[in-house]
Amino acid sequence: MAMKSGARPDEFFDELEIMPPEKRETYLGQKLTETVEHAYRHAPAVRAIFDKAGVTPSQIHTVKDLEKLPITRKADLMELQKSNPPYGGFLAIPLEDIDRVFISPGPVYEPIQHAGIKWFAKSFWAAGFRKGDVVINSFTYHMSPAGILFHEALRDCGATAIPMGTGNTDVQVKTMRDLKVTGFVGTPSFLMTIIKRAEEMGYNFQQDFALQRAWFTGEMFPPSLRKTFEEDYRINTAQAYAVTEPGGALAYECHHKSGMHLMDEYITEVVDPETGKQLGPGEAGEIVVTPVHNKVWCLIRFGTGDISSYTTEPCPCGRTSSRLVAILGRTGDAVKVRGMFVVAKQAEQLFSSFDQISRFQVIVGRKMQRDETTLKVELKNESIDREKLADDLSKKFQGMCLVRLDNIEFVPKGTIPEKHEIIVDQRKWE
Ligand SMILES: [Zn+2]
């Protein structure tokens, strides 16, 4: 396998990770064509979706072609499974060939066939898990896919996996120490709970434990917490983006930690949730996923409800896939301004990084049929250079949200109430 300079000889898990972009386009196109033909033939729900949209499988060969099809969301799955139990018409293999069935809140029943799940390991491999690692997996092993699928993926990397599941903090601490555990898989907040408990028990975590790496998914991972793990506790961290219904981890960080590489076992689109149209790099929209490795449970264009944007900038690790930037929020928290989604969490992260500001609020209104954005700012110290600050705020906002701020108003202290919405959409009231 050809190695990019700077990469470790065993950096990559498979050849897919380093496909040139043209090869990826061809590869995904072929996989999509096969997936769609199989799904249309064997999954009655998929056939119904196509027929209703007036689309035939022969019209779907490229990622762009997917725009012709509607998005299916969790609420639709629940509805279809209720009216056509138990799998809603999405099962595309004989019942007796199902290996296992997961149950996600709803409930939604998700049948799985074992052979197809090896790709999960990519994400753990990129995070440095190898033979010799002893890893606590603190995800639940029942009903949800997380526990057992991550367990198998750790084994595919050669690591020893300890099926701890959730809770039992004291037992986790003891096991981590007794078995000289080197890796942790779970949520960032739970690892912090374990570390704090170990410290309460009188241990010095860095000296008394062997933990070197942690892999997280399932919740927001604030940069401040990452800094604590990496600098105070010397734990190398990696995060992945996983969604239960389409079958697990979809994107993962490499050691550069600058966004999450998309897996080639899925076609991942970032779209306008209202129109289903695909968005370009840097534009925030809903993550929509089509698994192209899965012949069991055929979800075509599953809408996750999560908002992110992607970048096609090359990553120094040598992987060639696009990367999702951080998950910015849920579709319900986003406000559309002049065609672009602005997410409260994104605005919050941006403005909180300015020390000079104590409170802020973005108002979206409409003037002469055009959306208008106003940023209201309360300053900590009134004597600063407002013109320069306004200029910085304006540039950063446009850089991140791709929407220009029309007005910046410096308002007296106390104008913005202590508890307030980050973005107020006044257009609703007109
Ligand atoms: Zn990378």
Side-chain angles (χ1 to χ4, degrees), residues 167-298:
N168 298 313
T169 312
D170 285 13
V171 184
Q172 304 258 7
V173 171
K174 186 168 166 43
T175 309
M176 199 177 263
R177 184 167 151 75
D178 289 349
L179 300 184
K180 299 190 171 50
V181 164
T182 60
F184 173 86
V185 169
T187 60
S189 58
F190 190 48
L191 179 56
M192 194 40 92
T193 302
I194 293 174
I195 292 174
K196 292 285 169 227
R197 182 71 190 123
E199 288 175 341
E200 275 167 28
M201 290 159 96
Y203 292 116
N204 175 322
F205 195 81
Q206 261 212 66
Q207 281 172 19
D208 300 330
F209 289 76
L211 196 69
Q212 292 168 18
R213 65 187 104 261
W215 183 99
F216 301 129
T217 193
E219 66 182 30
M220 294 281 179
F221 184 28
S224 56
L225 186 54
R226 168 165 255 171
K227 207 164 162 234
T228 305
F229 285 133
E230 303 219 334
E231 291 176 12
D232 299 352
Y233 295 102
R234 303 273 162 216
I235 301 165
N236 194 1
T237 62
Q239 59 180 329
Y241 172 60
V243 182
T244 306
E245 294 81 8
L250 311 177
Y252 58 102
E253 279 183 340
C254 64
H255 63 272
H256 290 282
K257 304 174 192 185
S258 58
M260 293 177 278
H261 286 281
L262 292 176
M263 290 199 184
D264 294 300
E265 285 74 13
Y266 302 86
I267 290 174
T268 303
E269 305 164 77
V270 174
V271 310
D272 178 330
E274 287 158 23
T275 64
K277 294 281 177 241
Q278 293 166 6
L279 299 172
E283 297 179 6
E286 183 179 8
I287 302 174
V288 169
V289 176
T290 303
V292 289
H293 59 279
N294 189 342
K295 295 276 194 292
V296 182
W297 158 242
C298 292

Side-chain angles (χ1 to χ4, degrees), residues 24-156:
R24 173 166 292 111
E25 211 182 306
T26 312
Y27 175 83
L28 290 179
Q30 276 167 3
K31 287 281 175 190
L32 178 62
T33 303
E34 287 166 23
T35 301
V36 160
E37 275 170 11
H38 172 82
Y40 187 84
R41 189 171 317 140
H42 298 287
V46 173
R47 180 183 284 258
I49 288 169
F50 272 70
D51 292 351
K52 197 170 164 205
V55 177
T56 63
S58 63
Q59 291 171 275
I60 309 290
H61 298 294
T62 66
V63 175
K64 187 75 186 159
D65 289 339
L66 281 170
E67 283 187 342
K68 296 170 191 159
L69 293 166
I71 294 169
T72 302
R73 294 196 172 79
K74 175 141 181 164
D76 305 318
L77 274 185
M78 285 165 58
E79 215 36 61
L80 284 163
Q81 289 201 342
K82 233 183 254 166
S83 58
N84 181 16
Y87 300 114
F90 290 96
L91 182 71
I93 59 167
L95 274 176
E96 62 271 26
D97 290 343
I98 298 172
D99 174 79
R100 61 189 82 165
V101 180
F102 295 117
I103 305 157
S104 74
V108 172
Y109 297 108
E110 300 143 19
I112 300 278
Q113 197 176 37
H114 183 264
I117 61 178
K118 193 154 180 161
W119 78 95
F120 267 81
K122 246 183 256 208
S123 145
F124 294 95
W125 189 264
F129 290 86
R130 296 290 186 276
K131 193 175 176 72
D133 272 314
V134 179
V135 185
I136 277 184
N137 179 10
S138 68
F139 281 108
T140 183
Y141 274 70
H142 60 263
M143 294 182 27
S144 146
I148 196 160
L149 293 190
F150 297 159
H151 182 109
E152 286 163 342
L154 286 163
R155 291 292 305 125
D156 286 335

Side-chain angles (χ1 to χ4, degrees), residues 254 256 261 315-319 323:
C254 64
H256 290 282
H261 286 281
C315 183
C317 76
R319 287 177 186 79
R323 282 162 289 150

Side-chain angles (χ1 to χ4, degrees), residues 291-411:
V292 289
H293 59 279
N294 189 342
K295 295 276 194 292
V296 182
W297 158 242
C298 292
L299 296 181
I300 311 282
R301 291 202 107 196
F302 179 75
T304 62
D306 290 321
I307 290 212
S308 185
S309 64
Y310 70 95
T311 172
T312 53
E313 289 287 309
C315 183
C317 76
R319 287 177 186 79
T320 50
S321 54
S322 300
R323 282 162 289 150
L324 289 181
V325 305
I327 304 305
L328 302 168
R330 299 283 301 164
T331 41
D333 309 326
V335 172
K336 198 172 185 183
V337 182
R338 297 200 285 273
M340 295 291 174
F341 285 92
V342 178
V343 189
K345 189 140 205 100
Q346 204 179 11
E348 187 178 14
Q349 274 171 5
L350 175 71
F351 297 127
S352 310
S353 68
F354 284 84
D355 288 342
Q356 309 94 315
I357 295 178
S358 60
R359 283 181 201 164
F360 55 86
Q361 188 166 44
V362 179
I363 313 286
V364 183
R366 205 188 301 273
K367 196 176 175 184
M368 313 279 282
Q369 308 301 316
R370 178 180 177 276
D371 294 334
E372 188 177 63
T373 53
T374 302
L375 173 67
K376 289 190 178 176
V377 178
E378 288 184 24
L379 294 170
K380 279 186 192 151
N381 177 354
E382 295 288 336
S383 65
I384 63 140
D385 182 347
R386 293 180 181 200
E387 207 167 313
K388 185 179 176 310
L389 178 61
D391 196 44
D392 285 352
L393 286 167
S394 182
K395 279 188 188 137
K396 282 249 171 113
F397 188 83
Q398 182 152 14
M400 187 178 253
C401 303
L402 306 181
V403 172
R404 200 166 59 82
L405 282 171
D406 297 293
N407 314 297
I408 298 182
E409 285 174 17
F410 293 97
V411 296

